[in-house]
Amino acid sequence: MEDTNISYIFRVNDIHVYLKIFAICLVEVLLLIIVLILWLITFWDYGELSLFLGVSLLIFLPILTFYFLKKKSSKEITVILSATEMTLHWPLKKMVITYADIKSYSACRLYQETGDVESVHIRLKSGKKIRLSATYGFCDIEPLREFREAFDKLAQSLKLPHELTWDEKLLKKN
């Protein structure tokens, strides 16, 4: 690789935010069940209409909540590839990884029924794992695809060990 730096900006999944959104939807379902029971006790005279409205709200409100909040379950990062190291700029931190510190990596596109996933996993000699993945529907996966292809080409030229993760072995399309 030349002595120039190449920068990539893309969005990756943030599993912690995703789990918070899922928890919000779950709490919303539980609260709506309680409200539905109280609603039916209070307005039982209207019978089927009350039950229909209550069940409709119980189903559609959590789905709408998830739909409107799902884009927040990703974060934008910047990765700069140079001849000797890779710099990752997360929203709140910066990480510099020299290629000599990489124990192994995997870079592939996973094909699933729910949508494609672009994925780059880096295992460091210190034991730390870095996972960059973008799921179709939550993020635009094309910018990560460009980075994945460039990083894979660079890693092969540096003869870094390529090792698929367990889920990638199961889901990778042959």
Side-chain angles (χ1 to χ4, degrees):
M1 184 171 182
E2 301 172 3
D3 202 25
T4 60
N5 294 340
I6 301 172
S7 178
Y8 297 91
I9 299 172
F10 50 86
R11 297 192 72 79
V12 295
N13 298 339
D14 187 350
I15 192 70
H16 301 316
V17 174
Y18 179 78
L19 291 175
K20 288 177 185 175
I21 292 171
F22 183 76
I24 289 170
C25 292
L26 187 62
V27 168
E28 186 176 24
V29 166
L30 295 174
L31 288 174
L32 286 172
I33 289 173
I34 293 169
V35 169
L36 176 61
I37 291 170
L38 293 175
W39 176 272
L40 289 176
I41 290 171
T42 307
F43 298 106
W44 185 250
D45 295 338
Y46 299 106
E48 293 177 6
L49 179 62
S50 295
L51 184 62
F52 175 74
L53 285 173
V55 171
S56 297
L57 287 175
L58 182 66
I59 293 170
F60 292 115
L61 280 180
I63 291 172
L64 285 174
T65 301
F66 181 78
Y67 178 76
F68 287 118
L69 293 178
K70 77 177 184 176
K71 292 291 184 186
K72 295 189 183 289
S73 68
S74 65
K75 58 186 164 191
E76 184 174 276
I77 68 167
T78 303
V79 178
I80 301 170
L81 296 177
S82 69
T84 58
E85 64 188 19
M86 173 174 50
T87 307
L88 289 100
H89 294 274
W90 299 89
L92 299 176
K93 66 181 177 179
K94 177 182 173 183
M95 183 184 295
V96 178
I97 302 168
T98 60
Y99 299 127
D101 291 338
I102 296 177
K103 179 180 178 182
S104 66
Y105 80 97
S106 66
C108 67
R109 184 175 192 137
L110 303 174
Y111 299 91
Q112 300 178 7
E113 291 179 13
T114 57
D116 296 344
V117 178
E118 287 289 343
S119 176
V120 175
H121 294 228
I122 301 170
R123 292 159 203 83
L124 301 177
K125 291 178 181 175
S126 66
K128 187 170 185 162
K129 296 178 184 177
I130 299 162
R131 180 177 182 170
L132 305 173
S133 64
T135 306
Y136 177 79
F138 288 91
C139 313
D140 180 15
I141 63 174
E142 290 308 309
L144 182 56
R145 180 192 56 78
E146 293 172 10
F147 166 72
R148 175 187 55 85
E149 290 172 350
F151 178 73
D152 194 27
K153 185 187 236 182
L154 172 67
Q156 288 175 8
S157 70
L158 295 171
K159 295 185 177 25
L160 294 175
H162 185 267
E163 183 179 305
L164 292 178
T165 62
W166 183 78
D167 56 341
E168 291 169 341
K169 290 176 187 175
L170 290 174
L171 298 173
K172 188 172 182 190
K173 188 175 185 178
N174 295 330

